[in-house]
């Protein structure tokens, strides 16, 4: 192993440079241990510590090198930047990972890298490090490897056979922004490896999309002809709605894997497979002028097209002074990032389309209330819904009700009517839900909805209650009560529970589901 | 009538038995933890393997495996009234039959579900925050200590056994003075004094220092948020965390 001071230096530089990368979750693969080997991977993802910024530390998140030949405008490691540089030797990195893992500091490795010499040169080193880990040291823990745009297909394949998860960053929400800020990265160099990863997984029949919405989508050789540079249109936003066969969400709306199964997630035996935990991607938000609508449509497109497990957003932190970028004193748009994650959650687990969350009239997410409440208020005429009658799909649209609580309601009411007092025990966030529901016909929100209207029916004078209706102007009152903008909510994507990948289904990302 | 039992799971099952065949329980307490009440008598429930087995088998047959697991988890918890909660839960189950676990809003089901969630969450937390040190022995041994709220030691064994196939390890519940000893795919629990001293293997301090260094480097300054950190990682756990030592 390397010397103490040298090890400290490298670790500091290379962790420091990697820390802005947000996709930290370690979930998505289950693998049991093997005789004589070290490690296993748990389906639900495990946090090992929480850093001073409140983020979960699950993986050893680190760069292989920060010596970069590229010159991305927003990056501290760019060629023309003045940061101190360092690179690991493959063996050093493998040893470090083993020793950390053995002490249960980490769940595995998340290896990213700058471009030293060339994409292929760097990818070869990364491959060597992973090979030593897996083959020589018998490491069975989790590995997430980042694929640098422009890496040759052979290397993508070789790395994919060693890693659990791969990711190619889209970096910025549009081609124009990419050309402006990361001129050496070409859309094609990004989308081709993504496509290769998707296709390889489809071939080995392990392709499964993100959340419970996109996992029911079938791969039909999604039309990727737009990847042809002559075709011009490289923006997946344009593709999002292009293939109507792609999403057949209707039948397979969010029903979480049984909660117990998720919790006590059983271990499968490890077989060598290409990226068994699929692929993810990430983009920087707030460095360029794209709207939330643009970003969410793009995410939806990435889920549908490439079967991403997750699309991560990273609030731009101005570390570099440049005329092309927001001023260095600009606060990172953490609140916006938080809202985007909430919206992403609605896309993947709640059966929402991007168009419903942000429409042409509302191009950006509401900062005052979460996107689910925002949607409900815009559609207040659909509420209140009766807890004992609403379908699973409808229940999931109610603010304050999540996958787990919706399922509990459905199960419970098969045996007995659900009463208002039961809701809290079932995990419903009552203080939010109460505005949007009735329970056994009664409305509990403290907003004075329109009084129960009655209307005489048929000639015999029988009266049938028409139920509660919420007057349109009440929507603003509710909005005032549910605003979480000021009360110091943790504006961070990391404010979730354990299963950062949604296995807990609960109030991850502070979205009261 | 208030019951006293010996604190074992078998003893607790015998309380269930007594509730049906002797006299209804109004409270169930561990021997030694009971404040003698001025009124009413107490009933000392004798732990009897046969009776316990009868209850266990009835639970298995009528209520299923899920209920068995849930009941045992409730027993391991540190909830002060776990015994009565468990009793009410089982009584309701026997009345309602299989499927009663689906009545999530029912107070008797919720009472145990809540305990189960608590202990399960603590277990999950420990899968992440347990810190092993390499200590000197005839060969290297991994050693970790903890002070969990719940008596969850045995719930950790399989996870780490799965992970450490090639290395022996010890997980030491300092509070309850017992430990898991695991090697070669097997484990057992035995008493281990809280003040046991261990000798660190060579290189241990080096990796601890590296880890602390990494831990400090990875936090984003601009996003420092101690409240959020403590929310996820309450201070009571810091004692045993390498990265939190100064
Ligand atoms: S490729 Fe761009 S973003 Fe990546 S390290 Fe180099 S300069 Fe930074």
């Amino acid at each position: 192993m390397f010397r103490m001071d040298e090890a400290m230096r490298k670790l500091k530089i290379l962790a420091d440079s990697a820390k802005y990368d947000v996709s930290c979750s370690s979930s998505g693969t289950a693998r049991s241990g093997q005789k004589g080997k070290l490690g296993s991977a748990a389906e639900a993802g495990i946090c090992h510590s929480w850093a001073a910024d409140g983020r979960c530390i699950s993986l050893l998140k680190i760069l292989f090198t920060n010596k970069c030949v590229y010159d991305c405008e927003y990056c501290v490691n760019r060629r023309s930047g003045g940061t101190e540089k360092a690179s690991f030797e493959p063996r050093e990195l493998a040893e470090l990972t083993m020793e950390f893992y053995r002490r249960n500091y980490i769940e595995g490795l998340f290896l990213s890298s700058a471009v030293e010499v060339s994409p292929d040169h760097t990818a070869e080193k990364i491959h060597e490090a992973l090979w030593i880990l897996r083959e020589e040291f018998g490491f069975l823990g989790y590995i997430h490897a980042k694929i640098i745009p422009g890496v040759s297909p052979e290397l993508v394949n070789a790395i994919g056979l060693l890693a659990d998860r791969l990711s190619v960053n889209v970096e910025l929400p549009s081609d124009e922004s990419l050309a402006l800020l990361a001129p050496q990265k070409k859309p094609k160099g990004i989308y081709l490896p993504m496509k290769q990863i998707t296709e390889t997984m489809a071939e080995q029949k392990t392709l499964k999309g993100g959340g419970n919405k996109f996992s029911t989508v079938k791969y039909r050789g999604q039309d990727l002809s737009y990847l042809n540079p002559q075709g011009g249109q490289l923006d997946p936003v344009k593709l999002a709605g292009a293939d109507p066969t792609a999403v057949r969400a209707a039948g397979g709306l969010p029903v979480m894997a049984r909660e117990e199964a998720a919790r006590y997630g059983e271990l499968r035996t490890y077989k060598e497979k290409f990226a068994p935990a699929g692929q993810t991607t990430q983009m920087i938000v707030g460095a360029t002028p794209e709207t939330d609508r643009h970003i969410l449509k793009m995410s939806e497109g990435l889920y549908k097209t490439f079967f991403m497990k997750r699309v991560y957003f990273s609030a731009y932190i101005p570390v570099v002074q440049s005329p092309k970028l927001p001023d260095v004193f600009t606060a990172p748009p953490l609140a916006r990032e938080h809202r985007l994650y909430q919206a992403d959650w609605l896309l993947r687990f709640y059966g929402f389309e991007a168009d419903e969350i942000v429409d042409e009239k509302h191009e950006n997410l509401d900062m005052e209330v979460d996107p689910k409440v925002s949607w409900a208020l815009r559609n207040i005429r659909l509420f209140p819904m009766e807890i004992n009658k609403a379908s699973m799909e409808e229940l999931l649209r109610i603010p304050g009700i999540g996958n787990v609580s919706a399922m509990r309601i459905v199960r419970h009411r098969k045996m007995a009517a659900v009463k208002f007092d039961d809701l809290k025990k079932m995990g419903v966030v009552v203080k939010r839900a109460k505005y949007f529901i009735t329970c056994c016909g009664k409305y509990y929100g403290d907003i004075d909805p329109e009084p129960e209207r009655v209307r005489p029916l048929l000639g015999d004078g029988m009266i049938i209650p028409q139920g509660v209706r919420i007057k349109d102007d009440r929507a603003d009152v509710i909005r005032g009560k549910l605003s979480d903008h000021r009360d110091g909510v943790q504006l961070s994507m990391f404010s979730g529970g354990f299963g950062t990948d949604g296995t807990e289904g609960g109030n991850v990302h502070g979205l009261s589901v | 009538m208030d019951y006293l039992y010996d604190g074992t799971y078998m003893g607790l099952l015998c309380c269930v038995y007594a509730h049906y065949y002797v006299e209804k329980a109004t409270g169930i307490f561990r021997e030694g933890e009971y404040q003698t009440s001025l009124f009413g008598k107490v009933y000392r429930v004798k732990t009897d393997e046969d009776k316990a087995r009868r209850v266990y088998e009835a639970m298995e047959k009528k209520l299923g495996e899920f209920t068995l697991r849930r009941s045992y988890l409730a027993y391991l918890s540190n909830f002060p009234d776990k015994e009565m909660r468990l009793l009410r839960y089982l009584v309701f189950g026997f009345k309602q039959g299989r499927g009663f676990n689906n009545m999530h809003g029912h107070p008797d089901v919720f009472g145990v579900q809540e305990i189960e969630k608590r202990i399960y969450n603590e277990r999950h937390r420990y899968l992440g925050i347990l810190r092993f040190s390499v200590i000197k022995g005839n060969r290297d041994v991994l050693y970790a200590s903890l002070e969990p709220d719940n008596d969850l030691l045995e719930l950790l064994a399989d996870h780490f056994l799965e992970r450490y196939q090639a290395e022996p390890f010890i997980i030491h519940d300092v509070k309850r003075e017992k430990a898991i000893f695991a090697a070669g795919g097997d484990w057992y629990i035995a008493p281990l004094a809280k003040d046991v001293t261990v000798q660190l293997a060579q290189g241990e301090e080096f990796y601890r220092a590296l880890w602390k260094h990494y831990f400090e480097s990875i936090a984003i300054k601009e996003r420092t948020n101690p409240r959020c950190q403590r929310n996820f990682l309450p201070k009571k756990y810091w004692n045993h965390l390498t990265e939190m030592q100064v």
Side-chain angles (χ1 to χ4, degrees), chain A residues 159-175:
Chain A
I159 291 174
L161 288 171
L162 297 169
D164 291 278
R165 171 167 284 179
L166 297 177
S167 59
V168 194
N169 286 354
V170 294
E171 305 285 7
L172 291 158
S174 75
D175 291 358

mmCIF file with all atom_site columns, all heavy atoms in Angstrom, chain A residues 159-175:
data_model
loop_
_atom_site.group_PDB
_atom_site.id
_atom_site.type_symbol
_atom_site.label_atom_id
_atom_site.label_alt_id
_atom_site.label_comp_id
_atom_site.label_asym_id
_atom_site.label_entity_id
_atom_site.label_seq_id
_atom_site.pdbx_PDB_ins_code
_atom_site.Cartn_x
_atom_site.Cartn_y
_atom_site.Cartn_z
_atom_site.occupancy
_atom_site.B_iso_or_equiv
_atom_site.pdbx_formal_charge
_atom_site.auth_seq_id
_atom_site.auth_comp_id
_atom_site.auth_asym_id
_atom_site.auth_atom_id
_atom_site.pdbx_PDB_model_num
ATOM 1   N N   . ILE A 1 159 ? -16.133 -3.116 -18.852 1.00 0.00 ? 159 ILE A N   1
ATOM 2   C CA  . ILE A 1 159 ? -16.396 -2.489 -17.548 1.00 0.00 ? 159 ILE A CA  1
ATOM 3   C C   . ILE A 1 159 ? -17.777 -2.906 -17.040 1.00 0.00 ? 159 ILE A C   1
ATOM 4   O O   . ILE A 1 159 ? -17.952 -3.217 -15.865 1.00 0.00 ? 159 ILE A O   1
ATOM 5   C CB  . ILE A 1 159 ? -16.268 -0.947 -17.645 1.00 0.00 ? 159 ILE A CB  1
ATOM 6   C CG1 . ILE A 1 159 ? -14.810 -0.572 -17.884 1.00 0.00 ? 159 ILE A CG1 1
ATOM 7   C CG2 . ILE A 1 159 ? -16.783 -0.280 -16.375 1.00 0.00 ? 159 ILE A CG2 1
ATOM 8   C CD1 . ILE A 1 159 ? -14.554 0.896  -18.134 1.00 0.00 ? 159 ILE A CD1 1
ATOM 9   N N   . GLY A 1 160 ? -18.731 -2.974 -17.962 1.00 0.00 ? 160 GLY A N   1
ATOM 10  C CA  . GLY A 1 160 ? -20.083 -3.382 -17.586 1.00 0.00 ? 160 GLY A CA  1
ATOM 11  C C   . GLY A 1 160 ? -20.138 -4.792 -17.011 1.00 0.00 ? 160 GLY A C   1
ATOM 12  O O   . GLY A 1 160 ? -21.015 -5.108 -16.205 1.00 0.00 ? 160 GLY A O   1
ATOM 13  N N   . LEU A 1 161 ? -19.206 -5.636 -17.424 1.00 0.00 ? 161 LEU A N   1
ATOM 14  C CA  . LEU A 1 161 ? -19.210 -7.001 -16.901 1.00 0.00 ? 161 LEU A CA  1
ATOM 15  C C   . LEU A 1 161 ? -18.648 -7.069 -15.476 1.00 0.00 ? 161 LEU A C   1
ATOM 16  O O   . LEU A 1 161 ? -18.832 -8.052 -14.777 1.00 0.00 ? 161 LEU A O   1
ATOM 17  C CB  . LEU A 1 161 ? -18.419 -7.927 -17.821 1.00 0.00 ? 161 LEU A CB  1
ATOM 18  C CG  . LEU A 1 161 ? -19.115 -8.242 -19.151 1.00 0.00 ? 161 LEU A CG  1
ATOM 19  C CD1 . LEU A 1 161 ? -18.191 -8.986 -20.086 1.00 0.00 ? 161 LEU A CD1 1
ATOM 20  C CD2 . LEU A 1 161 ? -20.400 -9.039 -18.920 1.00 0.00 ? 161 LEU A CD2 1
ATOM 21  N N   . LEU A 1 162 ? -17.963 -6.027 -15.052 1.00 0.00 ? 162 LEU A N   1
ATOM 22  C CA  . LEU A 1 162 ? -17.411 -6.003 -13.697 1.00 0.00 ? 162 LEU A CA  1
ATOM 23  C C   . LEU A 1 162 ? -18.255 -5.148 -12.750 1.00 0.00 ? 162 LEU A C   1
ATOM 24  O O   . LEU A 1 162 ? -18.283 -5.382 -11.547 1.00 0.00 ? 162 LEU A O   1
ATOM 25  C CB  . LEU A 1 162 ? -15.978 -5.442 -13.720 1.00 0.00 ? 162 LEU A CB  1
ATOM 26  C CG  . LEU A 1 162 ? -14.958 -6.260 -14.510 1.00 0.00 ? 162 LEU A CG  1
ATOM 27  C CD1 . LEU A 1 162 ? -13.665 -5.471 -14.682 1.00 0.00 ? 162 LEU A CD1 1
ATOM 28  C CD2 . LEU A 1 162 ? -14.672 -7.585 -13.818 1.00 0.00 ? 162 LEU A CD2 1
ATOM 29  N N   . ALA A 1 163 ? -18.933 -4.145 -13.299 1.00 0.00 ? 163 ALA A N   1
ATOM 30  C CA  . ALA A 1 163 ? -19.665 -3.202 -12.456 1.00 0.00 ? 163 ALA A CA  1
ATOM 31  C C   . ALA A 1 163 ? -21.114 -3.632 -12.282 1.00 0.00 ? 163 ALA A C   1
ATOM 32  O O   . ALA A 1 163 ? -21.647 -4.397 -13.082 1.00 0.00 ? 163 ALA A O   1
ATOM 33  C CB  . ALA A 1 163 ? -19.613 -1.812 -13.069 1.00 0.00 ? 163 ALA A CB  1
ATOM 34  N N   . ASP A 1 164 ? -21.737 -3.138 -11.217 1.00 0.00 ? 164 ASP A N   1
ATOM 35  C CA  . ASP A 1 164 ? -23.164 -3.374 -11.019 1.00 0.00 ? 164 ASP A CA  1
ATOM 36  C C   . ASP A 1 164 ? -23.983 -2.356 -11.788 1.00 0.00 ? 164 ASP A C   1
ATOM 37  O O   . ASP A 1 164 ? -25.025 -2.662 -12.321 1.00 0.00 ? 164 ASP A O   1
ATOM 38  C CB  . ASP A 1 164 ? -23.513 -3.246 -9.536  1.00 0.00 ? 164 ASP A CB  1
ATOM 39  C CG  . ASP A 1 164 ? -22.915 -4.369 -8.743  1.00 0.00 ? 164 ASP A CG  1
ATOM 40  O OD1 . ASP A 1 164 ? -23.529 -5.440 -8.725  1.00 0.00 ? 164 ASP A OD1 1
ATOM 41  O OD2 . ASP A 1 164 ? -21.820 -4.187 -8.183  1.00 0.00 ? 164 ASP A OD2 1
ATOM 42  N N   . ARG A 1 165 ? -23.496 -1.143 -11.762 1.00 0.00 ? 165 ARG A N   1
ATOM 43  C CA  . ARG A 1 165 ? -24.261 -0.075 -12.397 1.00 0.00 ? 165 ARG A CA  1
ATOM 44  C C   . ARG A 1 165 ? -23.318 0.796  -13.218 1.00 0.00 ? 165 ARG A C   1
ATOM 45  O O   . ARG A 1 165 ? -22.187 1.030  -12.818 1.00 0.00 ? 165 ARG A O   1
ATOM 46  C CB  . ARG A 1 165 ? -24.970 0.760  -11.327 1.00 0.00 ? 165 ARG A CB  1
ATOM 47  C CG  . ARG A 1 165 ? -25.600 2.017  -11.859 1.00 0.00 ? 165 ARG A CG  1
ATOM 48  C CD  . ARG A 1 165 ? -26.547 2.631  -10.852 1.00 0.00 ? 165 ARG A CD  1
ATOM 49  N NE  . ARG A 1 165 ? -27.800 1.882  -10.794 1.00 0.00 ? 165 ARG A NE  1
ATOM 50  C CZ  . ARG A 1 165 ? -28.806 2.181  -9.992  1.00 0.00 ? 165 ARG A CZ  1
ATOM 51  N NH1 . ARG A 1 165 ? -28.705 3.198  -9.152  1.00 0.00 ? 165 ARG A NH1 1
ATOM 52  N NH2 . ARG A 1 165 ? -29.913 1.465  -10.013 1.00 0.00 ? 165 ARG A NH2 1
ATOM 53  N N   . LEU A 1 166 ? -23.824 1.247  -14.349 1.00 0.00 ? 166 LEU A N   1
ATOM 54  C CA  . LEU A 1 166 ? -23.056 2.153  -15.188 1.00 0.00 ? 166 LEU A CA  1
ATOM 55  C C   . LEU A 1 166 ? -23.809 3.464  -15.303 1.00 0.00 ? 166 LEU A C   1
ATOM 56  O O   . LEU A 1 166 ? -25.037 3.497  -15.221 1.00 0.00 ? 166 LEU A O   1
ATOM 57  C CB  . LEU A 1 166 ? -22.900 1.565  -16.595 1.00 0.00 ? 166 LEU A CB  1
ATOM 58  C CG  . LEU A 1 166 ? -22.124 0.253  -16.709 1.00 0.00 ? 166 LEU A CG  1
ATOM 59  C CD1 . LEU A 1 166 ? -22.125 -0.221 -18.155 1.00 0.00 ? 166 LEU A CD1 1
ATOM 60  C CD2 . LEU A 1 166 ? -20.692 0.413  -16.208 1.00 0.00 ? 166 LEU A CD2 1
ATOM 61  N N   . SER A 1 167 ? -23.065 4.536  -15.518 1.00 0.00 ? 167 SER A N   1
ATOM 62  C CA  . SER A 1 167 ? -23.759 5.777  -15.836 1.00 0.00 ? 167 SER A CA  1
ATOM 63  C C   . SER A 1 167 ? -22.953 6.621  -16.797 1.00 0.00 ? 167 SER A C   1
ATOM 64  O O   . SER A 1 167 ? -21.732 6.675  -16.721 1.00 0.00 ? 167 SER A O   1
ATOM 65  C CB  . SER A 1 167 ? -24.096 6.564  -14.565 1.00 0.00 ? 167 SER A CB  1
ATOM 66  O OG  . SER A 1 167 ? -22.933 6.870  -13.853 1.00 0.00 ? 167 SER A OG  1
ATOM 67  N N   . VAL A 1 168 ? -23.654 7.205  -17.724 1.00 0.00 ? 168 VAL A N   1
ATOM 68  C CA  . VAL A 1 168 ? -23.067 8.189  -18.617 1.00 0.00 ? 168 VAL A CA  1
ATOM 69  C C   . VAL A 1 168 ? -23.828 9.469  -18.314 1.00 0.00 ? 168 VAL A C   1
ATOM 70  O O   . VAL A 1 168 ? -25.053 9.474  -18.372 1.00 0.00 ? 168 VAL A O   1
ATOM 71  C CB  . VAL A 1 168 ? -23.310 7.820  -20.097 1.00 0.00 ? 168 VAL A CB  1
ATOM 72  C CG1 . VAL A 1 168 ? -22.424 8.650  -21.005 1.00 0.00 ? 168 VAL A CG1 1
ATOM 73  C CG2 . VAL A 1 168 ? -23.117 6.335  -20.337 1.00 0.00 ? 168 VAL A CG2 1
ATOM 74  N N   . ASN A 1 169 ? -23.145 10.513 -17.978 1.00 0.00 ? 169 ASN A N   1
ATOM 75  C CA  . ASN A 1 169 ? -23.852 11.742 -17.638 1.00 0.00 ? 169 ASN A CA  1
ATOM 76  C C   . ASN A 1 169 ? -24.302 12.496 -18.884 1.00 0.00 ? 169 ASN A C   1
ATOM 77  O O   . ASN A 1 169 ? -23.519 12.702 -19.789 1.00 0.00 ? 169 ASN A O   1
ATOM 78  C CB  . ASN A 1 169 ? -22.959 12.677 -16.825 1.00 0.00 ? 169 ASN A CB  1
ATOM 79  C CG  . ASN A 1 169 ? -22.792 12.192 -15.402 1.00 0.00 ? 169 ASN A CG  1
ATOM 80  O OD1 . ASN A 1 169 ? -23.433 11.209 -15.004 1.00 0.00 ? 169 ASN A OD1 1
ATOM 81  N ND2 . ASN A 1 169 ? -21.958 12.846 -14.647 1.00 0.00 ? 169 ASN A ND2 1
ATOM 82  N N   . VAL A 1 170 ? -25.563 12.925 -18.886 1.00 0.00 ? 170 VAL A N   1
ATOM 83  C CA  . VAL A 1 170 ? -25.962 13.819 -19.977 1.00 0.00 ? 170 VAL A CA  1
ATOM 84  C C   . VAL A 1 170 ? -25.407 15.222 -19.722 1.00 0.00 ? 170 VAL A C   1
ATOM 85  O O   . VAL A 1 170 ? -25.378 16.043 -20.621 1.00 0.00 ? 170 VAL A O   1
ATOM 86  C CB  . VAL A 1 170 ? -27.496 13.903 -20.192 1.00 0.00 ? 170 VAL A CB  1
ATOM 87  C CG1 . VAL A 1 170 ? -28.037 12.591 -20.666 1.00 0.00 ? 170 VAL A CG1 1
ATOM 88  C CG2 . VAL A 1 170 ? -28.195 14.340 -18.943 1.00 0.00 ? 170 VAL A CG2 1
ATOM 89  N N   . GLU A 1 171 ? -24.988 15.451 -18.488 1.00 0.00 ? 171 GLU A N   1
ATOM 90  C CA  . GLU A 1 171 ? -24.321 16.700 -18.088 1.00 0.00 ? 171 GLU A CA  1
ATOM 91  C C   . GLU A 1 171 ? -25.222 17.928 -18.068 1.00 0.00 ? 171 GLU A C   1
ATOM 92  O O   . GLU A 1 171 ? -25.360 18.585 -17.054 1.00 0.00 ? 171 GLU A O   1
ATOM 93  C CB  . GLU A 1 171 ? -23.098 17.023 -18.971 1.00 0.00 ? 171 GLU A CB  1
ATOM 94  C CG  . GLU A 1 171 ? -22.070 15.904 -19.035 1.00 0.00 ? 171 GLU A CG  1
ATOM 95  C CD  . GLU A 1 171 ? -21.235 15.794 -17.767 1.00 0.00 ? 171 GLU A CD  1
ATOM 96  O OE1 . GLU A 1 171 ? -21.517 16.476 -16.785 1.00 0.00 ? 171 GLU A OE1 1
ATOM 97  O OE2 . GLU A 1 171 ? -20.287 14.983 -17.767 1.00 0.00 ? 171 GLU A OE2 1
ATOM 98  N N   . LEU A 1 172 ? -25.819 18.258 -19.200 1.00 0.00 ? 172 LEU A N   1
ATOM 99  C CA  . LEU A 1 172 ? -26.619 19.481 -19.249 1.00 0.00 ? 172 LEU A CA  1
ATOM 100 C C   . LEU A 1 172 ? -27.928 19.182 -19.964 1.00 0.00 ? 172 LEU A C   1
ATOM 101 O O   . LEU A 1 172 ? -27.999 18.279 -20.790 1.00 0.00 ? 172 LEU A O   1
ATOM 102 C CB  . LEU A 1 172 ? -25.842 20.580 -19.971 1.00 0.00 ? 172 LEU A CB  1
ATOM 103 C CG  . LEU A 1 172 ? -24.630 21.068 -19.162 1.00 0.00 ? 172 LEU A CG  1
ATOM 104 C CD1 . LEU A 1 172 ? -23.604 21.721 -20.055 1.00 0.00 ? 172 LEU A CD1 1
ATOM 105 C CD2 . LEU A 1 172 ? -25.056 21.996 -18.043 1.00 0.00 ? 172 LEU A CD2 1
ATOM 106 N N   . PRO A 1 173 ? -28.945 19.972 -19.651 1.00 0.00 ? 173 PRO A N   1
ATOM 107 C CA  . PRO A 1 173 ? -30.272 19.609 -20.145 1.00 0.00 ? 173 PRO A CA  1
ATOM 108 C C   . PRO A 1 173 ? -30.527 19.865 -21.632 1.00 0.00 ? 173 PRO A C   1
ATOM 109 O O   . PRO A 1 173 ? -31.614 19.579 -22.105 1.00 0.00 ? 173 PRO A O   1
ATOM 110 C CB  . PRO A 1 173 ? -31.218 20.481 -19.298 1.00 0.00 ? 173 PRO A CB  1
ATOM 111 C CG  . PRO A 1 173 ? -30.395 21.027 -18.187 1.00 0.00 ? 173 PRO A CG  1
ATOM 112 C CD  . PRO A 1 173 ? -29.004 21.073 -18.682 1.00 0.00 ? 173 PRO A CD  1
ATOM 113 N N   . SER A 1 174 ? -29.571 20.377 -22.384 1.00 0.00 ? 174 SER A N   1
ATOM 114 C CA  . SER A 1 174 ? -29.823 20.488 -23.821 1.00 0.00 ? 174 SER A CA  1
ATOM 115 C C   . SER A 1 174 ? -28.509 20.472 -24.590 1.00 0.00 ? 174 SER A C   1
ATOM 116 O O   . SER A 1 174 ? -27.439 20.744 -24.037 1.00 0.00 ? 174 SER A O   1
ATOM 117 C CB  . SER A 1 174 ? -30.592 21.771 -24.152 1.00 0.00 ? 174 SER A CB  1
ATOM 118 O OG  . SER A 1 174 ? -29.717 22.879 -24.070 1.00 0.00 ? 174 SER A OG  1
ATOM 119 N N   . ASP A 1 175 ? -28.608 20.181 -25.876 1.00 0.00 ? 175 ASP A N   1
ATOM 120 C CA  . ASP A 1 175 ? -27.419 20.140 -26.718 1.00 0.00 ? 175 ASP A CA  1
ATOM 121 C C   . ASP A 1 175 ? -26.740 21.494 -26.795 1.00 0.00 ? 175 ASP A C   1
ATOM 122 O O   . ASP A 1 175 ? -25.520 21.595 -26.823 1.00 0.00 ? 175 ASP A O   1
ATOM 123 C CB  . ASP A 1 175 ? -27.797 19.712 -28.138 1.00 0.00 ? 175 ASP A CB  1
ATOM 124 C CG  . ASP A 1 175 ? -28.215 18.262 -28.169 1.00 0.00 ? 175 ASP A CG  1
ATOM 125 O OD1 . ASP A 1 175 ? -28.157 17.621 -27.094 1.00 0.00 ? 175 ASP A OD1 1
ATOM 126 O OD2 . ASP A 1 175 ? -28.592 17.774 -29.241 1.00 0.00 ? 175 ASP A OD2 1
#
